[in-house]
Amino acid sequence: MESAGSLQILLVIAPAWESTTAQLQRFERVSPDQAWQRCGSAVAVSLGKSGLAWGRGLHPRIAGKEKREGDGCAPAGIFAITGLFGYAASDSSFARSMKLPYLCATSNLKCIDDPASAHYNRVVDQSCLGAGDWASCEDMLRHDERYAVGAVVGHNSEPPEPGAGSCIFLHVWENEGAPTAGCTAMALADMGEVAAWLDETAAPLLVQLPQLEYEALRAAWGLPQIGAGA
């Protein structure tokens, strides 16, 4: 089962591959042999402007449209959630309360989206690297709230395949219903609640699928049973 070792799942179910909005529901369990239980209420999220495409994660490679750099698709599949980031200082009470590794977004913190870079799909501190080998990157310290708090999604990470997509996060949306460039976004309050809930010891996962794919794969992947309102 693809979710066998996890005790926390963020389940994002979209109506169809081309959907740009979805619902996120948290699930947890006390041990791998126990059933998944809902945690909190479902919340609205925005997906990529081009909908979904299969990503590179913890699931087997599946035939179909695959995510590529710049395609505007959010990745479908199962992905580890590996860390948090935000504008709060590393020594703030907010950062200290987090249960995943936390990075403070500074002007030197970048996510590299240039497939030709040796640092492709990595969040790096530019001050530690000197002259970078990339032609483009994502600034982690923005002039809006979108990265005020967020989580790093382990898409295309072990090791990164050049051009298969980079810098996939959970983060704050621009506004309700506004699609993203390929991330999964939500209201600031919801993102803060999700960040506080995530726990490294629970090996948290993001499971993101269209409804029909979820129904077909749920049992084989050991995923929660959901009703029509999830």
Side-chain angles (χ1 to χ4, degrees), residues 82-101:
T82 60
L84 302 171
F85 58 87
Y87 299 163
S90 297
D91 60 354
S92 66
S93 58
F94 173 84
R96 291 198 305 270
S97 70
M98 295 298 102
K99 299 182 287 292
L100 276 174

Side-chain angles (χ1 to χ4, degrees), residues 32-59:
D33 60 345
Q34 298 296 307
W36 291 104
Q37 302 294 326
R38 289 173 186 264
C39 181
S41 301
V43 300
V45 296
S46 293
L47 302 175
K49 60 186 177 183
S50 301
L52 293 162
W54 287 115
R56 295 184 71 238
L58 302 176
H59 56 281

Side-chain angles (χ1 to χ4, degrees), residues 98-181:
M98 295 298 102
K99 299 182 287 292
L100 276 174
Y102 175 84
L103 287 173
C104 174
T106 69
S107 58
N108 284 312
L109 198 66
K110 313 289 184 183
C111 187
I112 311 306
D113 57 14
D114 179 358
S117 171
H119 305 286
Y120 178 62
N121 198 28
R122 304 294 192 206
V123 177
V124 301
D125 186 337
Q126 189 172 19
S127 67
C128 298
L129 297 176
D133 67 343
W134 54 86
S136 63
C137 65
E138 181 87 14
D139 292 329
M140 300 302 291
L141 182 61
R142 297 172 55 101
H143 298 294
D144 55 33
E145 284 193 324
R146 263 178 265 176
Y147 287 0
V149 57
V152 179
V153 176
H155 164 262
N156 188 30
S157 59
E158 298 298 339
E161 178 183 299
S166 63
C167 307
I168 301 299
F169 306 128
L170 305 172
H171 65 76
V172 180
W173 60 24
E174 180 181 6
N175 51 64
E176 186 171 1
T180 71

